[in-house]
Amino acid sequence: MSDLRLCVVSPLYHPSLGGLGKQAQLLTERLAEKGVNVFVIARRMKGMPPAAFSKEVKVYRAWSISPYTHTFEKVRPVNILISLTYSISTAFFLFSKRNDYNIVHSHGAGFPLFICLPLLKLLRKKVIAKVASSNQGIELGSLSGRYMGLGSLMTMVLKRADIIVATTVEIEEALKRDGFQAERIKRVPNFIDINLFSPASADEKEALKKRLGLGGQRIVTFSGRFIECKGVAFLLRAWKDISAKIQDVRLALLGDGLLFSEMKSLAQEMGISDSVFFYGHVSDIRDFLHATDVFVLPSLYEGMPNSLLEAMACGLPVVASRIGGVVDIVKNGENGIITEPGDANSLASGIGKLLADKNLADTLAFNAHKTIRDAYSLDNIAMRYIEFYRGLNG
């Protein structure tokens, strides 16, 4: 596919930086395997956990201030300066490498693309932009009317992108409300490499539990960043009720973030520390998922959670909040249980139901795996993107 010369722009191009960074890396490297001529412009960052990157994909690291800052949950002056300096540096790379690509795929449709899009249009490049977040005021679909008119200006400029990818129905509807033409919106979900994430046998599960020091226990697992929107505090409140009623259960919390220490203190205050394990950042969570009996996602809002896809691909029964892309994937009572966001009682009820009814848990687990295998595999999604590129290239 030498006629496809692709530049991927992804500030968070690293598997440890949440779903967006992991999705960008997985897709880009699979595109390269399928013969797409591709390189990446990403943000230069320091202090990151080690990660394996494909030697087939050249990654240029754009400069910005504060390279040790990796998360941007709130609009703050320092984060604005980081984004601005990264955006200007990225524009420089886009101009200097202008003969090496004809299509730009931006993972994110926010401030960096707002800065770079006029240049790309001047250079007569085609642009496809992926919108992964909803209701956060940082990407298309949730910018209009914010920031004293700047959000509306950004929306107007970003409308010049040739294709906007919406990962969820919620994002697609928000884009339409902002006046985007329906034919320029493509709904493409996030994905999972089903060769990496697949179910474990019962014997493998028990062996992994013993290796992790959790033998003889039933394990409920959360995986994600410790930030407010992930709803970990509500999960701990729900767990206080569960652990008082059900014996031999443990809650495994995987990840770190701004609220990590606060959540550990909250568990101690609630008197549930004996049954809650805080593991911090885990570079490869597959062993934990294979040892898990129930996966829980208590988020208050987000797009399409990568952790949920991973858990379902591993054939786990899931309990997840009625938010964003969750409702696109999880059908209540068919391949998972839906609970109300921010409701600890609803969360406790859903988890308790799966712990009490093994037949129900097994049925939901089987259907969860089938859902991901049939509709959310990396190879299928990569081919859809290649079709978009060819359409823009023609």
Side-chain angles (χ1 to χ4, degrees):
M1 301 182 192
S2 58
D3 57 323
L4 290 179
R5 294 179 296 122
L6 180 68
C7 171
V8 169
V9 176
S10 173
L12 304 178
Y13 192 81
H14 194 286
S16 298
L17 290 173
L20 187 61
K22 185 181 294 186
Q23 291 275 311
Q25 183 192 358
L26 282 172
L27 177 61
T28 302
E29 294 182 354
R30 188 56 53 91
L31 291 171
E33 291 174 10
K34 292 182 178 295
V36 177
N37 186 350
V38 57
F39 68 92
V40 177
I41 301 173
R43 180 171 168 255
R44 181 174 65 93
M45 289 174 288
K46 296 182 178 180
M48 294 298 301
F53 293 92
S54 170
K55 296 180 180 179
E56 304 301 316
V57 178
K58 176 66 177 177
V59 179
Y60 298 95
R61 293 287 175 177
W63 179 86
S64 76
I65 67 166
S66 192
Y68 286 96
T69 300
H70 307 146
T71 58
F72 305 90
E73 299 306 324
K74 295 182 179 180
V75 178
R76 299 186 299 171
V78 65
N79 290 344
I80 293 172
L81 286 174
I82 291 170
S83 185
L84 178 61
T85 51
Y86 162 75
S87 301
I88 293 171
S89 182
T90 297
F92 170 80
F93 273 109
L94 289 170
F95 182 78
S96 63
K97 301 291 181 183
R98 62 191 179 278
N99 296 322
D100 297 341
Y101 65 93
N102 47 22
I103 299 171
V104 168
H105 185 161
S106 175
H107 286 263
F111 191 75
L113 186 59
F114 167 68
I115 295 295
C116 296
L117 190 55
L119 170 65
L120 291 171
K121 287 303 167 182
L122 185 64
L123 295 173
R124 300 177 184 271
K125 305 299 184 181
K126 298 294 186 181
V127 178
I128 178 170
K130 174 183 175 180
V131 183
S133 66
S134 58
N135 304 316
Q136 296 183 46
I138 58 174
E139 289 195 86
L140 281 175
S142 61
L143 287 171
S144 290
R146 294 177 183 253
Y147 314 123
M148 296 179 292
L150 178 60
S152 297
L153 174 62
M154 290 174 65
T155 298
M156 182 178 68
V157 171
L158 292 170
K159 282 183 179 180
R160 298 190 64 194
D162 298 280
I163 291 177
I164 301 293
V165 172
T167 54
T168 70
V169 172
E170 181 182 48
I171 292 172
E172 181 180 13
E173 294 304 316
L175 292 170
K176 289 177 180 178
R177 287 195 299 272
D178 276 349
F180 282 83
Q181 298 173 333
E183 60 269 20
R184 289 171 55 217
I185 303 172
K186 308 295 183 183
R187 184 151 62 84
V188 184
N190 285 341
F191 49 81
I192 279 295
D193 187 340
I194 58 176
N195 295 317
L196 292 177
F197 291 91
S198 58
S201 68
D203 288 343
E204 289 171 331
K205 184 182 291 289
E206 290 307 314
L208 282 168
K209 285 184 179 183
K210 290 179 181 178
R211 196 172 79 182
L212 294 170
L214 298 168
Q217 309 290 325
R218 286 182 292 171
I219 312 303
V220 177
T221 297
F222 160 84
S223 171
R225 288 174 294 164
F226 279 66
I227 54 178
E228 186 175 354
C229 73
K230 294 295 184 178
V232 178
F234 294 99
L235 174 56
L236 292 177
R237 294 188 185 107
W239 193 254
K240 182 176 177 63
D241 180 60
I242 292 168
S243 59
K245 297 177 180 177
I246 304 176
Q247 301 300 311
D248 300 325
V249 292
R250 297 292 183 268
L251 177 61
L253 301 177
L254 314 181
D256 55 20
L258 297 174
L259 300 180
F260 184 83
S261 296
E262 183 178 328
M263 292 301 102
K264 286 192 75 172
S265 297
L266 180 60
Q268 291 173 349
E269 291 171 10
M270 290 181 172
I272 56 175
S273 294
D274 289 347
S275 64
V276 180
F277 292 78
F278 290 81
Y279 287 95
H281 172 75
V282 177
S283 57
D284 186 347
I285 68 168
R286 284 176 293 178
D287 281 355
F288 279 95
L289 291 180
H290 287 156
T292 293
D293 296 285
V294 175
F295 184 85
V296 59
L297 184 87
S299 297
L300 306 179
Y301 59 86
E302 57 180 291
M304 182 166 284
N306 210 57
S307 60
L308 180 67
L309 295 173
E310 292 170 346
M312 294 177 70
C314 287
L316 298 181
V318 299
V319 179
S321 303
R322 192 188 305 276
I323 58 165
V326 169
V327 296
D328 295 351
I329 310 168
V330 180
K331 306 306 175 189
N332 193 37
E334 295 180 18
N335 61 359
I337 291 180
I338 295 287
T339 62
E340 297 307 314
D343 187 337
N345 291 331
S346 176
L347 200 57
S349 175
I351 297 170
K353 186 179 296 185
L354 291 180
L355 292 172
D357 190 337
K358 188 177 186 305
N359 289 333
L360 173 63
D362 288 346
T363 298
L364 298 187
F366 177 85
N367 291 337
H369 172 67
K370 185 176 185 299
T371 296
I372 304 304
R373 183 196 64 199
D374 293 348
Y376 297 90
S377 75
L378 171 56
D379 282 320
N380 289 342
I381 300 301
M383 290 309 301
R384 290 185 64 182
Y385 276 109
I386 288 173
E387 290 175 9
F388 297 155
Y389 304 148
R390 285 174 170 161
L392 291 174
N393 208 36

